[in-house]
Amino acid sequence: QVQLVESGGGLVQAGGSLTLSCAASGIIADINAMRWYRQVPGKQRELVATISKAGDKTYADSVKGRFTASGDKDKKMQYLQMSNLRPEDSAVYYCNMDISPAINAYGKNWYGQGTQVTVSS
């Protein structure tokens, strides 16, 4: 079993910054990818940022230049630095890791419980 625990959400004014953290624990031999999603009630979950196994980073167009994803496989942590926040960034943010329980084993996606980010105008 794997558990992902997020922290760092909260209320911030437009133009402000927040950093989300996600800590993984459990049976983890390798982390194949790290992702951040967000979801607004009534809408589909949106992929915000991805860090591939090779370390390549991709972002949704709506957050490019404002959000920075990072990860530390040794510490089993990932982060999302968010700056110049806008009211439309308000959502529940979820971390996701594709984790293999053994070397060369298939990965499985695990999700955090979500953390609320609210940006006031």
Side-chain angles (χ1 to χ4, degrees):
Q1 280 293 81
V2 170
Q3 187 176 24
L4 301 185
V5 178
E6 301 165 6
S7 59
L11 174 64
V12 64
Q13 286 190 329
S17 300
L18 278 176
T19 297
L20 306 182
S21 301
C22 177
S25 61
I27 301 173
I28 302 170
D30 200 6
I31 300 174
N32 304 306
M34 297 178 176
R35 303 178 186 91
W36 288 95
Y37 291 86
R38 65 186 181 186
Q39 189 167 24
V40 175
K43 293 190 176 181
Q44 281 193 329
R45 189 171 291 192
E46 176 189 19
L47 178 60
V48 174
T50 300
I51 305 175
S52 73
K53 190 178 180 71
D56 299 320
K57 300 178 184 181
T58 56
Y59 298 92
D61 287 343
S62 57
V63 306
K64 279 181 183 176
R66 301 187 298 121
F67 289 13
T68 302
S70 61
D72 186 330
K73 288 187 178 182
D74 290 337
K75 294 183 179 179
K76 301 179 180 59
M77 295 285 299
Q78 67 179 77
Y79 308 92
L80 185 67
Q81 294 175 277
M82 306 182 293
S83 61
N84 193 17
L85 283 161
R86 305 167 181 168
E88 54 264 39
D89 293 319
S90 298
V92 177
Y93 284 72
Y94 298 90
C95 65
N96 160 262
M97 294 188 191
D98 182 325
I99 291 171
S100 294
I103 298 298
N104 296 324
Y106 286 111
K108 179 180 177 179
N109 274 309
W110 298 89
Y111 292 85
Q113 79 286 358
T115 186
Q116 177 70 47
V117 172
T118 303
V119 184
S120 63
S121 56

